[in-house]
């Protein structure tokens, strides 16, 4: 009996241990997770301590890392190999899980860690189908051809792996424990995947489905009138009057016939939200100190950990400060002892969709240029945790990968089925080399030379030098197009739709030292009508660019503080433009008492989207309701939703006419005018705000009604910062929104001693238990900036420095 009780006790104990150490779906083994010696408790114990001196066999010489109080590493090495090795080592120390997860997601490998979830498998298949791994492989082959980029990639990977190799399971970042998997070794392909992930994020946009459907229903004439008109205000990136010192190439011939494509029925697509950025440079004659000032604030999705990592890199031939992308060597946005640079997304179109005709009896043969051709086949194996792997075969045609065949369900509804993807991001390129060379550039000529290998995504590179030069280059690999090419789905059978030549690099839009003394970009069209090549794109509206231009044009004696104020500017130019007309019309309408009160609030508004502004929240909702009242009856069709016209079309209609066919709701018997539409919008605005926020109170304030959420990268609850009270808006210089906004603010004054200030909404550590995880967020939200401590040597004194870590070669 005693033996029976003993065996039963041992059996129950074994069952408990088995239960505590076995995962349940996506949940980690509870015993393993709660283990006080190796579980999540350990993530609060060591990572805020100053890194002790390290003994490393893989470096050639000693490396000194000086830490400041914000945990920014200032890395001083004797050679490039050791510099990038230690950069990889430290970024892995602070951001290993982020680096691992982002590159897994980019490569379509989430099912390996998250298991047999149909949505996750569909996402992985989508990433493989759009060719992310294919693109990274092409890019990596190009990067490995060059001695400089090959050295940086390999040294960085060795540094990451040196950190991984010394980790014990208890030291794994928290998310590895929550998701119950372990880090894998880093390779140069991971860095290539990271860069291609950013390329797709910034250039993988598409409106061809909506445009084609819209043209098929509305016809060419009305489509042109509603969707392809010049902006209401024009302030292109390259100043009007810039001379084009080249003989342009002729445009390719247009096709003999217009291709309309198959009918595009399907889901009711909504326009995707765009990302934006601001950058500008001022010549010394526009500044109080007489020195050039460069400013940049890229607007990206906001997450914790942050997309950026702040770092200084110094060795012979380079001393650069700025932000890196954790997972890639070098600095992406920043400054050195002689120059500063920044970027905004170009938004010039580098992606087309080609409808492919496959042979009925052979799904691997397609028709092109009068003959049947055999598609190449790319095989992708999608591993699934706990299940058998899935094998996927992707046709590659003359135009590129066929992402989804006819009849397949598209993961991204903006991707048309039965079409091939032509994207410059699939072409061999070496963007990393461009940044490595920019890090070392000492003047404009060297900066321009560095950009020769930069192709995708297209970017507006702004430049300023201590020698007084300022410049802007609309850089990228852009196809030479006939006018209108790429607006709609293209005919994959007709060579006239095929990309052939490219706009020569020497012909790309650029400006150097313009007479007005400044250059600025905010994702607006790069050029005016005098530029000889056709550039198409999903460019931003005029509001941000016009505001920046009007401030810089009107003022002088600017200081860095003035530039920080401009980056945080909350003036709403759309409201300033249209609201007086709207208010005048609504004063003639029969409004309720509550709506009249809302109108009075709007009438007293200064047009600034301040966090405490009730009027900003009312106008934001009112504009949405105006667009719904005007367009909803016209856009929702049985064949699918049509593309919503740009805001400028709505603005022009409101400003110029009291009557319009589009003011009239075709679903009602009455004929509506502008005032009818506005009254209906005002009524629905009040109803919507009341339903969502309750009676008028502080809940109606813009910073609360819209607010900002900085979510965890994997959307793990409790690891983000939600409900932040913020100002700004999508079409405002301070482009803070619900889930995206200024991801890095930087202002650099290029005097005898380069001085800079900056901030990003996060923290240097990726460990949620660290004091350095999100400790920049409150200052970012308040509009504060930090001094960027640009050391000239590791021996330089500064009150904000906290200590040093020595990396010594193992004897």
């Amino acid at each position: 009996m005693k033996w029976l009780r003993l065996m039963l006790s041992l059996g129950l104990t074994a069952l408990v241990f088995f239960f505590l150490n076995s995962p349940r779906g996506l949940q980690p083994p509870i015993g393993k997770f709660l283990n006080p010696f190796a579980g999540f408790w350990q993530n609060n114990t060591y990572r805020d301590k100053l890194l002790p001196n390290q003994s490393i066999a893989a470096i050639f010489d000693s490396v000194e890392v000086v830490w400041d109080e914000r945990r920014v590493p200032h890395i001083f090495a004797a050679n490039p190999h050791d510099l990038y090795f230690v950069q990889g080592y430290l970024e892995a120390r602070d951001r290993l899980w982020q680096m691992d997860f982002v590159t897994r997601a980019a490569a379509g490998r989430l099912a390996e860690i998250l298991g047999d979830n149909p949505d996750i498998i569909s996402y992985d298949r989508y990433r493989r189908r759009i060719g992310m791994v294919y693109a990274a492989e092409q890019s990596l082959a190009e990067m490995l051809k060059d001695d400089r980029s090959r050295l940086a990639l390999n040294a960085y990977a060795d540094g990451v792996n040196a950190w991984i190799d010394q980790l014990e399971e208890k030291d794994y970042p928290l998310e590895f424990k929550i998701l119950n998997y372990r880090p894998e070794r880093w390779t140069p392909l991971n860095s290539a995947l990271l860069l291609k992930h950013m390329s797709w994020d910034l250039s993988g946009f598409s409106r061809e489905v909506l445009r084609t459907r819209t043209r098929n229903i509305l016809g060419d004439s009305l489509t042109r009138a509603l969707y392809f008109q010049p902006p209401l205000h024009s302030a292109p990136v390259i100043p009007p009057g810039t001379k084009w010192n080249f003989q342009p190439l002729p445009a390719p011939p247009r096709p003999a016939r217009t291709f309309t494509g198959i009918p595009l029925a399907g889901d009711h697509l909504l326009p995707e939200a765009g990302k934006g950025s601001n950058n500008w440079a001022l010549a010394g004659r526009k500044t109080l100190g007489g020195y050039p000032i460069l400013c940049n604030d890229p607007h990206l999705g906001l997450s914790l950990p942050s997309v950026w990592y702040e770092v200084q890199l110094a060795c012979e031939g380079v001393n650069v400060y700025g932000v890196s992308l954790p997972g890639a060597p070098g600095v992406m946005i920043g400054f050195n002892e002689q120059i500063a640079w920044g970027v905004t997304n170009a938004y010039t179109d580098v992606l087309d969709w080609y409808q492919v005709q496959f042979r009925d009896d052979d799904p691997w043969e397609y028709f092109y240029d009068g003959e049947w051709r055999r598609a190449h086949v790319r095989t992708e194996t999608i591993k699934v945790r706990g299940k058998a792997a899935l094998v996927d075969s992707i046709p590659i045609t003359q135009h590129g990968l066929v992402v989804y065949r006819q009849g397949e369900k598209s993961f991204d509804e903006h991707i048309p089925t039965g079409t091939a993807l032509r994207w410059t991001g699939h072409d061999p390129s070496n963007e990393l080399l461009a940044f490595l060379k920019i890090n070392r550039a000492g003047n404009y000529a060297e900066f321009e030379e560095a950009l020769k290998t930069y192709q995708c995504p297209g970017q507006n590179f702004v430049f300023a030098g201590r020698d007084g030069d300022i410049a802007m280059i609309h850089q990228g690999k852009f196809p030479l197009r006939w006018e209108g090419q790429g607006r709609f789905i293209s005919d994959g059978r007709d060579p006239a739709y095929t990309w052939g030549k490219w706009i020569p690099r020497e012909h790309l839009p650029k400006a150097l030292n313009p007479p007005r003394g400044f250059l600025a970009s905010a994702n607006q069209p790069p050029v005016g009508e005098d530029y000889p090549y056709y550039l198409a794109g999903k460019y931003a509206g005029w509001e941000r660019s016009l505001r920046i231009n009007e401030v810089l044009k009107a003022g002088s004696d600017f200081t860095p503080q003035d530039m920080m104020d401009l980056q945080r500017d909350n003036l709403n130019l759309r409201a300033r433009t249209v609201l007086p007309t709207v208010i005048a019309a609504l004063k003639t309408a029969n409004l309720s008492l509550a709506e009249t009160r809302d109108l009075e609030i709007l009438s007293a508004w200064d047009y600034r989207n301040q966090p405490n502004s009730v009027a900003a929240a009312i106008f934001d909702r009112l504009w949405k309701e105006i667009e719904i009242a005007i367009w909803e009856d016209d856009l929702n069709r049985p064949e699918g939703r049509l593309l919503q016209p740009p805001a400028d079309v709505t603005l022009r209609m409101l400003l110029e006419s009291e009557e319009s066919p589009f003011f009239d709701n075709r679903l009602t018997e009455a004929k509506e005018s502008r005032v009818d539409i506005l009254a209906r919008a005002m009524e629905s605005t009040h109803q919507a705000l009341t339903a969502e926020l309750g009676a008028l109170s502080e809940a109606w304030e813009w910073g609360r009604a819209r607010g900002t959420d900085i979510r965890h990268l994997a959307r793990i609850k409790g690891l983000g910062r939600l409900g932040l009270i913020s100002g700004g808006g999508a079409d405002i210089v301070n482009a803070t929104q619900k889930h995206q906004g200024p991801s890095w603010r930087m202002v650099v004054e290029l005097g005898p001693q380069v001085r800079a200030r900056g901030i990003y909404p996060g923290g240097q550590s990726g460990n949620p238990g660290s004091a350095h995880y999100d400790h920049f967020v409150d200052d970012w939200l308040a509009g504060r900036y930090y001094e960027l401590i640009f050391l000239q040597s590791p021996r330089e004194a500064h009150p904000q420095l906290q200590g040093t870590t020595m990396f010594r070669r193992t004897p």
Side-chain angles (χ1 to χ4, degrees):
M1 194 66 178
K2 291 181 180 180
W3 284 104
L4 181 60
R5 286 198 296 269
L6 177 61
M7 295 301 295
L8 182 61
S9 176
L10 290 173
L12 289 173
T13 301
L15 283 174
V16 169
F17 271 95
F18 176 79
F19 174 79
L20 290 176
N21 286 278
S22 299
R24 295 292 181 269
L26 294 181
Q27 301 300 319
I30 190 67
K32 185 177 177 182
F33 186 66
L34 295 177
N35 183 336
F37 303 105
F40 82 98
W41 311 98
Q42 290 295 313
N43 292 91
N44 286 328
T45 62
Y46 78 100
R47 294 208 177 168
D48 281 345
K49 299 175 182 176
L50 188 68
L51 182 69
N53 293 337
Q54 302 288 299
S55 182
I56 303 286
I59 58 176
F60 299 128
D61 209 330
S62 295
V63 179
E64 194 164 354
V65 179
V66 180
W67 299 93
D68 67 33
E69 64 184 12
R70 295 191 296 111
R71 190 152 164 175
V72 176
H74 306 256
I75 306 172
F76 290 85
N79 58 77
H81 172 275
D82 294 354
L83 183 68
Y84 298 123
F85 180 97
V86 173
Q87 184 187 5
Y89 190 92
L90 296 180
E91 290 187 359
R93 177 182 185 250
D94 281 331
R95 302 289 189 87
L96 179 60
W97 175 80
Q98 174 188 6
M99 293 160 58
D100 182 279
F101 188 80
V102 168
T103 52
R104 283 181 185 272
R109 296 180 55 207
L110 291 183
E112 289 184 29
I113 59 174
L114 300 179
D116 187 18
N117 181 300
D119 291 336
I120 292 170
I121 293 173
S122 179
Y123 174 83
D124 282 355
R125 181 179 289 114
Y126 156 72
R127 301 300 290 192
R128 308 294 183 95
R129 294 278 188 94
I130 61 173
M132 291 305 295
V133 180
Y134 171 76
E137 291 169 349
Q138 298 278 54
S139 181
L140 179 61
E142 198 71 14
M143 289 190 283
L144 294 179
K145 292 177 183 178
D146 183 90
D147 292 342
R148 292 156 294 186
S149 51
R150 182 176 63 251
L151 180 149
L153 281 170
N154 288 330
Y156 186 93
D158 289 345
V160 173
N161 290 326
W163 175 256
I164 293 174
D165 289 345
Q166 56 83 48
L167 284 179
E168 298 179 26
E169 187 173 354
K170 67 181 179 62
D171 301 325
Y172 288 171
L174 176 65
E175 291 89 345
F176 284 112
K177 298 174 182 179
I178 292 175
L179 299 175
N180 191 32
Y181 78 107
R182 64 180 60 236
E184 64 180 6
R185 293 185 66 76
W186 192 263
T187 70
L189 180 63
N190 290 89
S191 295
L193 280 164
L194 172 70
L195 296 175
K196 285 303 175 184
H197 167 73
M198 290 298 294
S199 292
W200 180 261
D201 192 44
L202 296 173
S203 67
F205 51 84
S206 170
R207 288 180 171 174
E208 276 101 314
V209 172
L210 283 166
R211 284 176 178 163
T212 302
R213 180 187 297 162
T214 299
R215 184 186 62 178
N216 289 353
I217 294 172
L218 299 184
D220 286 330
S221 179
L222 186 54
T223 299
R224 280 195 300 272
L226 290 179
Y227 301 97
F228 301 110
Q229 294 301 310
L232 187 66
H233 298 285
S234 180
V237 173
I238 305 304
T242 298
K243 302 298 182 184
W244 311 117
N245 298 317
F246 54 79
Q247 182 62 41
L249 300 179
R254 298 179 64 88
R257 62 183 182 85
T258 299
F259 177 68
T260 56
I262 62 172
L264 289 166
D267 296 332
H268 287 245
L269 292 165
L270 297 174
E272 69 275 27
K275 297 177 175 65
S277 303
N278 306 318
N279 68 18
W280 62 87
L282 289 169
R285 67 178 182 274
K286 293 280 287 184
T287 70
L288 183 63
Y291 309 123
I293 297 177
L294 182 139
C295 309
N296 192 197
D297 55 303
H299 309 150
L300 298 171
L302 303 179
S303 66
L304 288 172
S306 169
V307 66
W308 301 115
Y309 184 82
E310 203 172 329
V311 67
Q312 180 177 358
L313 302 173
C315 73
E316 185 177 358
V318 63
N319 186 6
V320 63
Y321 190 114
V323 285
S324 70
L325 288 169
V331 167
M332 300 295 158
I333 299 171
F335 57 93
N336 61 31
E337 294 164 317
Q338 300 297 330
I339 75 163
W341 77 96
V343 294
T344 66
N345 203 23
Y347 276 118
T348 292
D349 189 10
V350 293
L351 180 156
D352 285 354
W353 294 100
Y354 290 83
Q355 187 175 309
V356 179
Q357 179 184 342
F358 282 100
R359 189 191 286 272
D360 290 340
D361 58 352
D362 188 341
W364 298 100
E365 287 198 359
Y366 67 98
F367 195 75
Y368 176 75
D369 196 16
E371 64 179 11
W372 293 100
R373 298 190 177 192
R374 193 76 183 170
H376 300 287
V377 181
R378 180 176 176 86
T379 301
E380 294 279 359
T381 301
I382 301 173
K383 298 179 181 178
V384 182
R385 187 173 190 170
K387 298 286 184 179
L390 304 174
V391 177
D392 197 21
S393 298
I394 308 169
I396 303 179
T397 71
Q398 163 78 20
H399 299 294
L401 292 87
V402 177
V403 181
Y404 294 102
R405 288 182 179 270
Q406 288 287 356
E408 288 189 298
K409 181 173 176 56
S410 175
F411 177 84
D412 181 343
E413 58 187 2
H414 291 92
I415 294 178
T417 58
T419 61
L421 166 63
R422 181 66 179 99
W423 177 46
T424 59
H426 286 148
D427 298 347
S429 62
N430 193 347
E431 286 76 22
L432 176 63
L433 178 60
F435 285 108
L436 295 176
K437 292 171 72 175
I438 289 172
N439 289 182
R440 292 163 168 77
N443 53 47
Y444 174 69
E446 294 177 1
F447 175 79
E448 188 179 23
E449 172 69 20
L451 286 174
K452 280 187 174 180
T453 63
Y454 187 93
Q455 293 185 185
C456 182
Q459 296 283 286
N460 297 304
F461 280 85
V462 69
F463 167 91
R466 279 182 59 191
D467 59 6
D469 284 340
I470 63 169
M472 183 80 73
I473 303 176
H474 189 75
Q475 178 67 33
K477 183 180 181 182
F478 304 124
L480 183 64
R481 300 178 183 268
W482 39 267
E483 186 172 354
Q485 185 177 2
R487 284 179 176 173
F488 309 101
I489 292 175
S490 299
D491 188 349
R493 302 166 300 181
D494 187 347
Y497 287 86
T498 302
W499 294 358
K501 298 180 179 179
W502 307 93
I503 297 176
R505 184 175 177 274
E506 298 76 15
H507 299 187
L508 294 176
K510 59 185 175 183
L512 174 66
N513 298 327
R516 67 187 190 181
F518 71 90
L519 291 160
S521 77
N523 315 111
Q524 75 270 38
V527 291
E529 295 181 357
D530 61 337
Y531 184 66
Y533 294 105
Y534 173 70
L535 295 178
K538 192 187 71 173
Y539 303 118
W542 49 269
E543 292 91 340
R544 281 186 291 119
S545 59
L546 184 65
R547 175 58 178 165
I548 295 167
N549 274 264
E550 71 179 19
V551 170
L552 299 182
K553 184 178 180 179
S556 61
D557 293 337
F558 288 110
T559 66
Q561 183 61 53
D562 295 328
M563 299 299 92
M564 289 184 272
D565 291 342
L566 182 53
Q567 286 185 332
R568 299 172 302 196
D569 186 275
N570 285 330
L571 186 65
N572 188 326
L573 260 65
R574 182 178 297 173
R576 189 181 73 178
T577 300
V578 76
L579 200 50
T581 299
V582 170
I583 290 172
L586 284 172
K587 285 181 177 179
T588 69
N590 184 23
L591 303 180
S592 69
L593 288 176
E595 293 158 16
T596 300
R597 180 205 59 199
D598 295 346
L599 187 62
E600 290 171 351
I601 293 172
L602 287 174
S603 300
W605 187 30
D606 62 0
Y607 308 124
R608 294 185 180 275
N609 278 41
Q610 301 294 87
N612 64 350
S613 172
V614 171
I618 295 174
F619 177 76
D620 181 73
R621 174 63 70 169
L622 177 61
W623 181 257
K624 291 183 176 72
E625 297 296 338
I626 288 172
E627 290 194 308
I628 290 170
I630 293 175
W631 299 113
E632 199 66 15
D633 60 308
D634 298 295
L635 300 183
N636 277 328
R637 302 296 184 101
E639 304 92 333
R641 186 176 178 84
L642 307 187
L643 180 64
Q644 183 161 309
D648 277 10
V649 174
T650 306
L651 283 168
R652 279 196 176 97
M653 288 170 53
L654 292 170
L655 294 172
E656 297 174 1
S657 178
E658 296 183 10
E659 304 287 340
S660 167
F662 294 102
F663 290 154
D664 182 34
N665 187 334
R666 63 191 185 93
L667 303 180
T668 66
E669 293 184 3
K671 182 179 180 181
E672 287 84 4
S673 65
R674 180 177 67 186
V675 69
D676 297 322
I677 287 292
L678 293 176
R680 180 183 305 163
M682 196 68 183
E683 178 183 17
S684 54
T685 293
H686 182 79
Q687 291 173 347
L689 289 174
T690 302
E692 181 180 342
L693 305 171
L696 180 64
S697 68
E698 67 177 12
W700 284 44
E701 293 176 355
W702 178 237
R704 301 175 188 273
R706 190 276 320 269
T708 295
D709 290 343
I710 305 179
R711 299 175 292 184
H712 182 263
L713 186 61
R715 307 297 186 259
I716 297 175
K717 293 181 179 180
L719 301 186
R721 290 287 301 275
L722 310 182
L724 303 175
I725 299 174
S726 60
D731 298 299
I732 294 170
V733 177
N734 173 18
T736 306
Q737 302 176 57
K738 181 70 171 178
H739 295 124
Q740 59 191 46
S743 62
W744 165 245
R745 286 177 171 144
M746 180 183 76
V747 175
V748 185
E749 183 180 47
L750 291 134
Q753 288 187 319
V754 179
R755 301 186 186 280
R757 300 190 73 82
I759 192 168
Y760 67 84
Q764 289 288 91
S765 175
N767 174 20
S770 167
H772 297 281
Y773 178 65
D774 63 351
H775 77 298
F776 302 163
V777 171
D778 291 337
D779 285 335
W780 174 84
L781 199 62
R784 289 188 280 269
Y785 290 66
Y786 302 127
E787 177 188 358
L788 306 184
I789 304 167
F790 187 37
L791 301 178
Q792 301 306 298
S793 82
R795 301 287 174 264
E796 186 176 338
H798 192 285
Q800 294 179 28
L801 300 181
Q802 287 199 332
T804 299
T805 299
M806 291 297 301
F807 286 74
R808 293 186 174 89
R809 181 185 173 115
T810 302

